[in-house]
Amino acid sequence: MKVDFQKLESIAAQIRRDIINMTAAAGSGHPGGSLSAAEILTVLYFHKMNIDPNNPKWEDRDKFVLSKGHAAPVLYSALARRGYYSPEELLKLRKIDSMLQGHPDMKGTPGVEMSTGSLGQGFSTSIGMAIASKLDQRRNRIYVLLGDGEINEGIVWEAAMSAAHYRLDNLTAILDYNGLQIDGPNKEVMGIEPLREKWESFGWHVLEIDGHSFKEIISALDEAEETKNKPTIIIAKTVKGKGVSFMENEVGWHGTAPNTEQREIALKELGGEE
Amino acid sequence: MADKKATREAYGEALVELGRKNKNVVVLDADLSKSTKTSLFAKEYPERFFQMGIAEQNLMGTAAGLAASGKIPFASTFAMFATGRAFEIIRNSICYPKLNVKICATHAGITVGEDGASHQALEDIACMRAIPNMVVINPADAVSAKAAINMAAEYKGPVYVRLGRAKVPVIYDENNFKFELGKGIQIKDGNDVTIIATGVMVSSALEAREKLLAEGITARIIDMHTIKPIDKDIIIKAAKETKRIVTAEEHNIIGGLGSAVAEVLSENCPVPLKRIGVKDSFGESGKPDQLLKKYGLTAADIVSAVKELL
């Protein structure tokens, strides 16, 4: 399938602008870890996943679980731009009575497959989704995005173990490996290396890519689809805050919203106002 | 006296029947299927049974994912680990999104016996009823347990069913029993006091009634199988008509049935109340009957409590 890389670039830039605008309007939220995942979500929602925004409950759809639920802005933007609801909803992020809750709410937001926010749990539920698909002999795929800090949680390893045990080759996990968590870099807070070896020893097929390269993301997703009898994890090396110079690789931009001035600078860098 | 049968046995059998009737029913366990009796379902429908190993958090998360995919998961392990270890997964991944997961946990209460304190869940009712969207059921015998399981399968939303290890007297007639969610069952009427009991304590309450009758005291006996949503009407009626309430549960007196009844009474019809249950302590190893005696959960204890109110 011929890929329109320019289109994907343009969408990713739009998603990044949305993230800045949403969090600025809300006065809170998680820009850093949302920005690092823009290419990943772009590829999933605009190239790879077999979905229908007009039929969000279609039984054979591919599913995406944002296990690192705090990156809700990137998901909300992708869903809006893909047509699940109007982009006008985006600026209502985190506001009272809004359809866009601080962390994903499957009951309230079209296109959200699981309520997440408490780290590790989304990943665990994706095991259940993958098992259900196999039981029903469906050909759909389950995608789940994890954070690197998130994998400190024990439930992640319980889930990883069970995915291999049940040979869930219809499950593709992606690790948004931006190297930073809240109190500092992963290696200072709680060392997670060696990553490849850990996942391989848990029975997973492991791929390592540049998480901002559309080509590499697509290639990895395709390889995951071809890999049988074991689940695949794509360790995507990313930059937290990617696209906004003063946010890139900065610990402080995990959970702080840009102020008016910062928003303007960021948008300029990202190619526009909206 | 009637037969004795453990509520977990009734659960295991009910699951097999459910599995036959409804292809969407799936079962999960955490390496305890021989004890929880999900092994019976596993034998009949191995393709729909998912052994999750000793990993209760992932057990519940996986159940949530299955429910989100249209299945009706029955997730089992011991009450301690289901509601303790996996509490937050139940709260955030099952109850918050209101997913159709049935948590059927066995070995609740002190009658777990010899395994001792670490395995004796005495706070599970308290934990589960504090979560929005959760339904909490503690059936008294094998007949009502089976009915509760069948009801749970029909009910749309999260359910916690609390089952026991030990054999308990059969109270109800299988051919003449109706389980109504949220409705207490007035087994016997009385004028002097109402004993509202749940789970294994219902039999003890009936025993207590006999002892009290011998002394000319009539006790109304209510089986409060559904602790959430609790039957406020039956409680208020009992308060108005009998003026004294004793609650009895195989659980800490903090946070369970006694507390739930106290909440209703205080807001609607305050009357003197005594709570029979474990008095905020951990259990220990022992035979079930010895433990019930040592921790104040016998018919005699109920009788004493009634007399304190008279």
Side-chain angles (χ1 to χ4, degrees):
Chain A
M1 182 213 260
K2 193 133 199 332
V3 183
D4 186 346
F5 287 104
Q6 264 194 318
K7 177 165 170 252
L8 295 180
E9 294 268 1
S10 166
I11 292 168
Q14 174 71 77
I15 288 178
R16 288 198 158 95
R17 290 194 296 275
D18 285 343
I19 291 167
I20 294 302
N21 277 322
M22 291 167 77
T23 50
S28 71
H30 302 78
S34 300
L35 291 166
S36 56
E39 282 82 8
I40 294 166
L41 279 258
T42 298
V43 170
L44 285 170
Y45 279 92
F46 292 87
H47 170 81
K48 187 66 182 175
M49 291 207 300
N50 198 12
I51 47 180
D52 178 2
N54 295 313
N55 199 355
K57 299 289 178 199
W58 170 40
E59 286 176 348
D60 286 310
R61 68 189 187 279
D62 285 345
K63 297 180 182 179
F64 171 73
V65 175
L66 184 68
S67 195
K68 50 173 287 188
H70 53 279
V74 69
L75 174 62
Y76 294 160
S77 165
L79 290 170
R81 299 296 168 187
R82 190 63 175 81
Y84 282 84
Y85 46 82
S86 163
E88 280 175 10
E89 296 293 331
L90 295 176
L91 293 182
K92 298 182 201 165
L93 170 71
R94 292 174 155 240
K95 295 201 158 79
I96 196 158
D97 299 325
S98 168
M99 185 183 77
L100 301 183
Q101 293 290 293
H103 291 80
D105 167 20
M106 66 183 287
K107 289 299 192 211
T109 312
V112 171
E113 296 291 354
M114 182 50 64
S115 300
T116 55
S118 181
L119 297 174
Q121 294 188 40
F123 184 42
S124 177
T125 69
S126 75
I127 307 303
M129 293 178 191
I131 289 177
S133 277
K134 290 241 174 228
L135 192 57
D136 291 341
Q137 295 179 312
R138 294 190 196 281
R139 313 271 308 277
N140 65 336
R141 298 195 63 76
I142 314 297
Y143 295 95
V144 56
L145 183 69
L146 292 99
D148 44 23
E150 179 173 14
I151 68 170
N152 294 163
E153 285 284 358
I155 192 177
V156 166
W157 302 98
E158 292 180 12
M161 210 184 291
S162 65
H165 180 83
Y166 283 103
R167 303 187 194 284
L168 300 177
D169 51 19
N170 56 344
L171 177 68
T172 301
I174 304 159
L175 182 67
D176 183 349
Y177 187 28
N178 59 40
L180 305 179
Q181 47 197 103
I182 300 181
D183 279 354
N186 305 140
K187 58 178 178 282
E188 282 176 30
V189 174
M190 183 53 64
I192 52 177
E193 298 293 350
L195 277 180
R196 167 179 280 278
E197 288 82 348
K198 279 193 172 68
W199 287 92
E200 278 176 350
S201 71
F202 271 72
W204 286 61
H205 181 55
V206 178
L207 298 170
E208 291 175 84
I209 62 165
D210 170 359
H212 298 299
S213 157
F214 292 115
K215 194 158 174 286
E216 289 189 34
I217 296 169
I218 291 170
S219 180
L221 291 173
D222 289 346
E223 182 174 334
E225 194 169 2
E226 298 305 309
T227 304
K228 301 299 170 202
N229 292 315
K230 40 169 47 176
T232 297
I233 181 159
I234 300 168
I235 299 174
K237 199 134 191 358
T238 57
V239 173
K240 200 160 187 175
K242 178 81 173 171
V244 178
S245 61
F246 58 88
M247 288 187 179
E248 289 192 1
N249 254 320
E250 293 290 328
V251 173
W253 286 103
H254 168 86
T256 307
N259 61 30
T260 319
E261 210 189 309
Q262 290 162 334
R263 171 185 167 265
E264 277 189 43
I265 301 171
L267 287 174
K268 226 186 233 122
E269 291 182 2
L270 293 169
E273 267 296 303
E274 284 159 349
Chain B
M1 185 107 203
D3 288 335
K4 283 185 150 204
K5 187 170 177 179
T7 51
R8 60 177 169 134
E9 290 281 356
Y11 169 55
E13 292 164 10
L15 263 188
V16 174
E17 272 181 50
L18 269 178
R20 185 177 41 84
K21 281 188 289 191
N22 191 333
K23 296 300 163 212
N24 283 321
V25 166
V26 298
V27 177
L28 302 94
D29 207 300
D31 198 31
L32 288 171
S33 66
K34 292 186 187 58
S35 299
T36 62
K37 303 301 174 184
T38 60
S39 55
L40 299 175
F41 180 97
K43 187 153 181 272
E44 292 301 318
Y45 307 106
E47 71 290 349
R48 281 190 275 149
F49 174 76
F50 301 100
Q51 176 60 261
M52 301 308 294
I54 312 170
E56 294 80 8
Q57 294 185 7
N58 191 43
L59 169 81
M60 295 304 171
T62 301
L66 282 157
S69 309
K71 302 297 172 196
I72 306 174
F74 280 77
S76 293
T77 176
F78 288 178
M80 184 69 253
F81 315 127
T83 65
R85 199 60 160 265
F87 174 82
E88 207 226 292
I89 286 72
I90 294 173
R91 188 247 193 217
N92 273 322
S93 291
I94 293 172
C95 289
Y96 172 48
K98 214 177 169 186
L99 288 171
N100 202 25
V101 176
K102 321 299 169 180
I103 299 149
C104 298
T106 68
H107 294 64
I110 207 160
T111 51
V112 162
E114 289 82 345
D115 271 354
S118 60
H119 286 55
Q120 291 162 355
L122 297 172
E123 50 287 301
D124 54 315
I125 298 175
C127 291
M128 293 295 99
R129 78 179 187 100
I131 310 177
N133 298 332
M134 184 60 98
V135 162
V136 179
I137 304 171
N138 190 193
D141 75 342
V143 171
S144 56
K146 181 174 172 189
I149 297 303
N150 286 325
M151 184 282 320
E154 295 296 309
Y155 175 83
K156 300 269 177 276
V159 180
Y160 174 62
V161 182
R162 180 188 213 239
L163 305 158
R165 171 183 182 237
K167 292 197 204 303
V168 290
V170 175
I171 297 170
Y172 299 109
D173 171 6
E174 185 153 24
N175 302 310
N176 190 20
F177 179 77
K178 189 169 180 233
F179 185 94
E180 286 182 83
L181 181 67
K183 293 261 167 280
I185 301 174
Q186 184 172 299
I187 304 177
K188 298 279 183 193
D189 202 353
N191 301 315
D192 303 315
V193 64
T194 299
I195 305 169
I196 302 176
T198 191
V200 318
M201 298 307 289
V202 174
S203 294
S204 309
L206 289 166
E207 253 187 81
R209 182 177 199 276
E210 295 306 305
K211 294 188 203 286
L212 289 164
L213 264 179
E215 300 185 46
I217 303 165
T218 65
R220 181 178 296 184
I221 308 294
I222 294 174
D223 171 4
M224 196 68 89
H225 50 64
T226 309
I227 298 167
K228 182 180 187 181
I230 200 153
D231 187 347
K232 291 187 179 157
D233 293 340
I234 207 172
I235 296 170
I236 295 169
K237 188 164 188 282
K240 288 191 173 138
E241 292 171 9
T242 70
K243 309 205 183 356
R244 291 162 204 91
I245 312 274
V246 170
T247 58
E249 60 196 303
E250 193 196 358
H251 186 273
N252 195 333
I253 52 170
I254 297 174
L257 172 71
S259 298
V261 169
E263 288 159 18
V264 174
L265 291 176
S266 307
E267 287 186 342
N268 297 283
C269 187
V271 298
L273 166 77
K274 289 263 174 225
R275 294 163 293 155
I276 291 294
V278 174
K279 293 177 181 43
D280 196 27
S281 81
F282 292 104
E284 63 180 279
S285 290
K287 294 203 207 318
D289 285 340
Q290 294 170 330
L291 293 168
L292 288 169
K293 187 150 185 252
K294 184 167 179 178
Y295 287 83
L297 270 64
T298 63
D301 294 300
I302 296 175
V303 167
S304 302
V306 166
K307 288 186 174 169
E308 283 177 42
L309 290 176
L310 288 168

